[in-house]
Amino acid sequence: MNSPNRRTAFTLVELLVVIAIIGVLVGLLLPAVQAAREAARRMSCSNNFKQIGLGYHNYHSAFNSLPMQSGGTWLKNVTSNATNRSFISTLVMITPFVEQQALWQAISQGDVTYGAMGPPPWDTNFEPWVTELATLRCPSDPGKGLPARARSNYAVCQGDHMRLVNSGGRNHRGWYQSTDDDNAQITGNATTDDSTTAVRARQTNRGMFWARHFTKFSSVIDGLSNTIMAGEVCTGIGQREIQADNVYNVADALVKDASISVKTCLDQIDPQRPAFIRVGVAVGGDVTNTIGRGHMWADGRLQYTGFQTILPPNKPSCFRGTDASQGMSTAGSRHQGGAHVLMGDGAVKFITDSIEAGDLSLTPTPGGGSPYGLWGSLGTRGSNEVVGEF
């Protein structure tokens, strides 16, 4: 006998089971895909840093010194912006060593309006200052476009102190100037040196880079492999994040002539939302939109292309005034759990947020090791600290 015809098809239950299984598999797969994407971005970021490290080493080979942070041409005419007034970052100086020869020529030759090395880095009429470079951006950082002029996620290490670090002790005419506590006369107009300021600046500028001064690898007596040359910084997306927004107009206790107060900066954190800055505290966008963290790659001030090894990565950055003032810039990144640093020997390492940071209630003293533990020790060039594995 012929067997009866039988329909072959999925039942509704079977179809729902298959859909459920596919949904579970997709749910398991997506985190792995996201993790793989972030791993690729982190590797690209590390490669950018290695390229920048080669740029610094090649510059040193060519000129027998590191490029000057907040360097360039000194102000001659007090009323003129025809020069860059010694506000140029080290990143400008290494452009010919990171495959940016055309941009370097445009900067070094100037144009019909501005002379060689261009105007101050906040002058948006000078095209190079608003040209963003892929080499200076971490792919994990989502910040882009206005109000920034041209962003950077890489900053040089300027030690473990706040006092006289943003200016290096010198005004924009090249003289050591007797200071006030807010801006350390970074834009002062004295034409003679104040010896007290010169001595104090030498004591407090303990990093591989010293603003408005040249440093050399030979001055890094702690060893290049034990000293941080540069580190990552975040740029803001307008959300008042502690690792991506500068806090401005902080209490005077933050930086005094004889002491600094890290707690004053930590007090700016919202206790209810510890990843964010307290409501009512002024950040970059509340003061002037353009003075956000990392918003000008060509500017040598701490707020844009410098940091100190005081607070561990991804903690707040605070200043007594705005972007010409004294304060503290902190390393940070969008990578989970820490940030990359570039060591003096060119090695790129990942530093976790939990790195040992010593006693934050203390102030560094001349001739003493950093009070900020392993993190602080890595940021000083000549304090003779013993640095183990990290």
Side-chain angles (χ1 to χ4, degrees):
M1 295 178 62
N2 293 329
S3 60
N5 292 331
R6 306 177 68 181
R7 293 184 61 190
T8 57
F10 290 114
T11 66
L12 179 60
V13 172
E14 290 172 330
L15 185 60
L16 291 175
V17 169
V18 170
I19 292 173
I21 292 172
I22 293 173
V24 169
L25 292 175
V26 170
L28 294 173
L29 182 62
L30 281 178
V33 172
Q34 289 294 95
R37 287 174 176 169
E38 170 54 24
R41 290 192 292 264
R42 180 168 157 176
M43 183 176 295
S44 177
C45 180
S46 176
N47 289 337
N48 283 348
F49 231 166
K50 289 178 181 177
Q51 182 74 13
I52 291 168
L54 287 172
Y56 284 124
H57 276 261
N58 287 334
Y59 184 100
H60 194 282
S61 295
F63 299 102
N64 198 33
S65 76
L66 289 165
M68 184 186 293
Q69 177 74 335
S70 288
T73 49
W74 301 105
L75 179 66
K76 302 302 180 184
N77 183 345
V78 177
T79 63
S80 172
N81 271 355
T83 73
N84 53 58
R85 297 166 56 185
S86 197
F87 276 97
I88 300 302
S89 76
T90 62
L91 297 173
V92 173
M93 308 310 293
I94 65 169
T95 50
F97 300 99
V98 292
E99 304 298 326
Q100 294 292 334
Q101 290 88 346
L103 183 63
W104 169 249
Q105 284 187 343
I107 295 169
S108 60
Q109 294 174 6
D111 58 24
V112 295
T113 304
Y114 305 108
M117 298 306 296
W122 53 83
D123 190 330
T124 57
N125 293 316
F126 191 57
E127 186 65 26
W129 295 163
V130 291
T131 300
E132 193 162 281
L133 305 179
T135 304
L136 303 182
R137 296 305 314 276
C138 173
S140 295
D141 191 292
K144 61 175 61 177
L146 295 173
R149 274 133 179 164
R151 301 177 190 236
S152 171
N153 292 112
Y154 306 107
V156 296
C157 181
Q158 295 181 244
D160 65 342
H161 212 292
M162 299 188 212
R163 180 70 173 160
L164 298 176
V165 172
N166 208 3
S167 67
R170 283 177 164 165
N171 64 26
H172 57 172
R173 302 187 73 182
W175 301 92
Y176 294 103
Q177 181 163 345
S178 180
T179 67
D180 61 71
D181 281 335
D182 268 344
N183 64 25
Q185 299 294 359
I186 194 170
T187 57
N189 292 314
T191 56
T192 58
D193 281 325
D194 178 75
S195 59
T196 300
T197 301
V199 171
R200 185 69 168 139
R202 186 171 296 278
Q203 293 172 340
T204 58
N205 284 273
R206 295 150 53 103
M208 186 171 289
F209 289 87
W210 177 2
R212 292 176 172 168
H213 294 75
F214 286 111
T215 55
K216 299 183 178 184
F217 286 147
S218 59
S219 65
V220 186
I221 59 178
D222 283 353
L224 294 178
S225 63
N226 296 326
T227 307
I228 295 174
M229 178 186 292
E232 277 191 89
V233 293
C234 289
T235 70
I237 55 174
Q239 298 303 308
R240 301 174 62 85
E241 302 162 282
I242 62 169
Q243 85 272 34
D245 283 294
N246 293 323
V247 181
Y248 290 121
N249 299 322
V250 177
D252 292 353
L254 180 70
V255 189
K256 294 183 177 181
D257 185 49
S259 66
I260 61 178
S261 173
V262 180
K263 181 180 181 300
T264 302
C265 186
L266 293 174
D267 287 344
Q268 312 309 310
I269 299 174
D270 188 338
Q272 303 301 318
R273 305 177 71 219
F276 296 87
I277 298 162
R278 288 191 296 110
V279 174
V281 173
V283 298
D286 299 332
V287 183
T288 302
N289 281 332
T290 55
I291 62 174
R293 187 159 172 74
H295 276 196
M296 288 189 282
W297 74 274
D299 198 309
R301 286 173 288 180
L302 276 169
Q303 292 84 350
Y304 307 113
T305 57
F307 79 100
Q308 298 114 306
T309 54
I310 301 174
L311 285 173
N314 294 313
K315 297 298 184 187
S317 300
C318 302
F319 296 89
R320 280 194 51 161
T322 56
D323 62 349
S325 67
Q326 302 194 84
M328 173 180 60
S329 178
T330 305
S333 79
R334 301 288 180 177
H335 310 305
Q336 185 66 37
H340 289 109
V341 297
L342 172 69
M343 305 305 292
D345 62 356
V348 175
K349 296 181 179 290
F350 191 78
I351 301 294
T352 65
D353 299 343
S354 58
I355 188 171
E356 193 266 314
D359 189 344
L360 296 174
S361 68
L362 301 178
T363 297
T365 57
S370 177
Y372 307 125
L374 174 58
W375 180 234
S377 298
L378 290 170
T380 58
R381 67 179 183 272
S383 297
N384 289 326
E385 298 108 334
V386 176
V387 177
E389 291 294 325
F390 61 95

